[in-house]
Amino acid sequence: MAAPLHPVVFWAQKAETVTLRVDLKDVKDPEIDLTKESLTFKVIGVGAAGLNSYQFTLNFYKSVDPEGSAFRITDREVNFVLMKDGPSEEWTRLTLSEEKQPWLKIDFDKLTVDDDSEDEELRRKAEFEEEQLKQIQKQLTESEAEAYTDLKKMYLCVYNFLQFIGYSYIFIYLTVNFVIKGQGMRQAYSKIILPLSVCQVFAVLEVINPLLGIVKTGAMAPLIQFTGRNMVLFVVIRGEDRMVGEPVLCYLFLIWSSIELVRYPFYMLCSIGQESMIISWLRYTIWIPLYPAGFLFEILSLWTAIPFYEASKKYNLELPNAWNVSFDMTTFLYIWIVGILSASPMMMSHMWRQRQKRFGSKKKVH
């Protein structure tokens, strides 16, 4: 819970009285409780933090006379005149506690001082004004930080929610029309390729966010996933028209979307500081069957594309040319398959360590 807001309170004294000046404008709904030992003050007004609820409690150094005391509310401030209870004397301080409160200030406008101490009081007044300026700057900085945090939460929540909606559409459409109704892949492909492409393009934000410090996770893992998926989707699949009707694509897209249907709600809840144990468990568990299946169908998609690229020679670069470099797409696809086979165990090990860290059994103390 946020700490209560304190108004700035200026105080001064004479031998018989203590005066308080509460720096609040347009005060409404005052709740004031004055006893011999303390003053409790709570109102709604305009202060350093704008229109808000402000409050404070003062436990006096010595007792006061509530019956002989009074207060007055004006448009610009609230004034108290508190009668000291007992012999007329100067208090060494206002509050029972010696702890200094940053919102409690000496009212230099009402303070009576000797000529010999005038320079000292001027110095103290200058220090007071400097401290007030620092407090204002601190409040502005804190307000800016809170606004940035709220904006960041909103941005991350909206991004993850929209990605979840996109992959939900892909998963539901393929499940209903391809798996259940037996619709041809070419027709299904035409319905889901645009939302899938949009989701994959905007996934670049998952690489940018860690680099900008918006999230605290590393950028390497999302970079590898973003690069790998987009190479498969935009270079291999969308680069060859004959790939459109291959059923293997449906199963690949179903696996991708199944992973994201859990991952994005998990991140969406994290962005607003919430957690669902069911979603967290799925996030760290569902990869166990889906990641190997995803690697398998990525390899099958590349394997399916090899004859097409071998016949079309698309993307090939043959000698001689201006760069004196050759490139064969078919060979590249074979190398890519070997790379997936080599990298998948490391990825699985990384995910297993994450799961153990989150749900691993605790060591028993004997």
Side-chain angles (χ1 to χ4, degrees):
M1 180 180 292
L5 294 174
H6 294 95
V8 178
V9 180
F10 300 93
W11 80 282
Q13 67 171 318
K14 294 181 180 179
E16 299 84 10
T17 61
V18 172
T19 60
L20 302 177
R21 181 165 57 88
V22 184
D23 189 15
L24 285 176
K25 299 178 182 178
D26 301 328
V27 168
K28 299 177 182 178
D29 303 328
E31 297 179 19
I32 299 172
D33 183 21
L34 176 63
T35 67
K36 286 189 173 184
E37 291 79 21
S38 66
L39 169 64
T40 300
F41 178 92
K42 183 177 181 181
V43 299
I44 296 174
V46 179
L51 180 61
N52 226 310
S53 176
Y54 296 86
Q55 59 181 296
F56 67 83
T57 298
L58 291 174
N59 295 310
F60 298 125
Y61 176 66
K62 292 187 177 181
S63 61
V64 300
D65 178 13
E67 297 296 330
S69 302
F71 71 90
R72 183 167 62 96
I73 299 176
T74 70
D75 293 339
R76 301 182 60 84
E77 60 191 13
V78 181
N79 294 293
F80 288 86
V81 178
L82 308 177
M83 296 297 299
K84 295 180 180 178
D85 187 21
S88 300
E89 61 177 339
E90 296 282 341
W91 290 359
T92 57
R93 58 181 182 272
L94 175 62
T95 58
L96 183 62
S97 171
E98 296 184 5
E99 180 181 359
K100 292 184 178 180
Q101 300 294 341
W103 48 270
L104 187 59
K105 312 294 182 183
I106 296 175
D107 193 343
F108 290 96
D109 293 335
K110 294 185 178 180
L111 189 65
T112 303
V113 297
D114 296 333
D115 293 340
D116 293 340
S117 62
E118 184 175 351
D119 291 341
E120 175 65 17
E121 292 303 326
L122 289 174
R123 182 187 65 80
R124 291 170 62 189
K125 189 171 183 178
E127 290 178 351
F128 162 75
E129 292 174 350
E130 182 180 358
E131 184 179 352
Q132 285 293 98
L133 180 60
K134 290 180 179 178
Q135 289 292 329
I136 293 172
Q137 291 174 338
K138 181 181 178 181
Q139 290 177 355
L140 289 174
T141 302
E142 290 175 350
S143 298
E144 291 173 356
E146 290 177 1
Y148 170 75
T149 301
D150 292 341
L151 182 63
K152 182 176 70 172
K153 287 181 179 179
M154 182 182 298
Y155 156 70
L156 291 173
C157 188
V158 170
Y159 166 76
N160 287 293
F161 176 73
L162 292 178
Q163 290 288 77
F164 170 73
I165 293 298
Y167 280 106
S168 296
Y169 168 79
I170 295 164
F171 180 84
I172 293 171
Y173 187 90
L174 289 176
T175 301
V176 172
N177 292 279
F178 182 85
V179 177
I180 298 176
K181 295 183 178 180
Q183 184 183 80
M185 184 57 202
R186 185 172 293 274
Q187 185 178 352
Y189 178 93
S190 66
K191 298 295 184 181
I192 59 93
I193 190 60
L194 179 59
L196 178 60
S197 299
V198 171
C199 288
Q200 284 302 131
V201 168
F202 276 97
V204 71
L205 294 174
E206 297 173 35
V207 181
I208 296 174
N209 290 340
L211 296 177
L212 296 180
I214 297 176
V215 296
K216 296 181 180 180
T217 57
M220 185 55 65
L223 176 62
I224 293 173
Q225 177 172 300
F226 171 80
T227 304
R229 281 194 184 182
N230 281 284
M231 286 286 290
V232 171
L233 179 62
F234 292 104
V235 176
V236 178
I237 297 174
R238 300 202 65 171
E240 175 53 63
D241 292 338
R242 287 172 289 183
M243 286 290 293
V244 171
E246 296 296 326
V248 68
L249 299 186
C250 174
Y251 301 110
L252 176 63
F253 297 158
L254 276 173
I255 292 168
W256 282 0
S257 56
S258 298
I259 294 170
E260 307 305 16
L261 289 182
V262 173
R263 192 168 70 95
Y264 284 117
F266 173 79
Y267 288 147
M268 183 171 61
L269 290 175
C270 289
S271 69
I272 58 176
Q274 301 296 322
E275 182 181 14
S276 165
M277 288 306 298
I278 295 175
I279 294 177
S280 295
W281 184 86
L282 288 172
R283 168 70 180 101
Y284 290 101
T285 306
I286 202 170
W287 64 268
I288 297 175
L290 291 182
Y291 271 38
F295 295 139
L296 173 62
F297 281 99
E298 283 188 19
I299 290 172
L300 291 176
S301 298
L302 298 177
W303 190 267
T304 302
I306 286 175
F308 300 142
Y309 282 98
E310 193 171 23
S312 68
K313 299 189 181 301
K314 189 173 183 178
Y315 301 129
N316 285 5
L317 187 62
E318 299 179 352
L319 293 172
N321 56 61
W323 298 280
N324 198 30
V325 174
S326 64
F327 176 80
D328 182 70
M329 184 62 175
T330 303
T331 304
F332 175 74
L333 293 177
Y334 281 120
I335 295 173
W336 194 344
I337 290 173
V338 173
I340 292 175
L341 292 172
S342 302
S344 56
M346 292 185 291
M347 187 65 180
M348 298 286 286
S349 297
H350 170 73
M351 291 301 298
W352 180 255
R353 288 193 298 270
Q354 293 295 314
R355 189 181 193 281
Q356 288 295 97
K357 184 178 179 180
R358 181 65 178 83
F359 293 111
S361 59
K362 297 181 180 179
K363 295 182 178 179
K364 295 182 178 180
V365 179
H366 297 283

